[in-house]
Amino acid sequence: MDAARRRQFAHLGDAKKELLAWTTANAIPLVRVEFVVPFVETDFDASVWLFYDTDASAELCARTGVTADVEQKFMSILSDDGYPAGWLAETSFQVDSHENVERNFEGSYFYRLR
């Protein structure tokens, strides 16, 4: 893994920790954050997966704008941490629930992210 990819993983990992602390402090039922990046070393897209505790929580947070706030907070954390603007532009989000992972993917986030 080259230095740029290691830097990307470090930024994403730090942002994940900070986001989960923020959602906990704000009573947002986000239970897990995962990210997927391409295998191509020159492609710095990042797909960020937000997992709420239940399907109902995921739907409620989407409907009430909480998910948009969570996404914005994650982007702000990355930006404040020096994540390059070009990489920020290539960041996208997916939303799911732990309940769905348990029900349809044998409890495996690996299977869900495939």
Side-chain angles (χ1 to χ4, degrees), residues 10-65:
H11 281 296
L12 291 168
D14 291 346
K16 172 182 173 175
K17 290 176 195 169
E18 190 172 332
L19 182 71
L20 287 170
W22 179 81
T23 57
T24 298
N26 287 281
I28 297 170
L30 190 73
V31 296
R32 192 167 177 133
V33 176
E34 296 290 339
F35 46 87
V36 178
V37 299
F39 286 111
V40 179
E41 289 186 12
T42 58
D43 184 347
F44 292 95
D45 291 3
S47 180
V48 180
W49 288 74
L50 305 172
F51 291 92
Y52 290 95
D53 56 354
T54 65
D55 294 342
S57 291
E59 291 171 20
L60 177 64
C61 288
R63 189 173 63 250
T64 60

Side-chain angles (χ1 to χ4, degrees), residues 24-113:
T24 298
N26 287 281
I28 297 170
L30 190 73
V31 296
R32 192 167 177 133
V33 176
E34 296 290 339
F35 46 87
V36 178
V37 299
F39 286 111
V40 179
E41 289 186 12
T42 58
D43 184 347
F44 292 95
D45 291 3
S47 180
V48 180
W49 288 74
L50 305 172
F51 291 92
Y52 290 95
D53 56 354
T54 65
D55 294 342
S57 291
E59 291 171 20
L60 177 64
C61 288
R63 189 173 63 250
T64 60
V66 171
T67 296
D69 292 343
V70 169
E71 292 173 0
Q72 181 55 45
K73 180 65 175 177
F74 192 83
M75 296 293 279
S76 176
I77 293 167
L78 285 175
S79 179
D80 291 348
D81 193 39
Y83 200 70
W87 296 2
L88 277 173
E90 299 300 323
T91 303
S92 63
F93 293 89
Q94 304 293 325
V95 176
D96 204 344
S97 72
H98 175 74
E99 183 177 61
N100 182 50
V101 172
E102 288 291 321
R103 182 179 56 243
N104 295 310
F105 298 94
E106 302 175 19
S108 172
Y109 285 87
F110 174 79
Y111 291 156
R112 176 61 185 103
L113 296 174

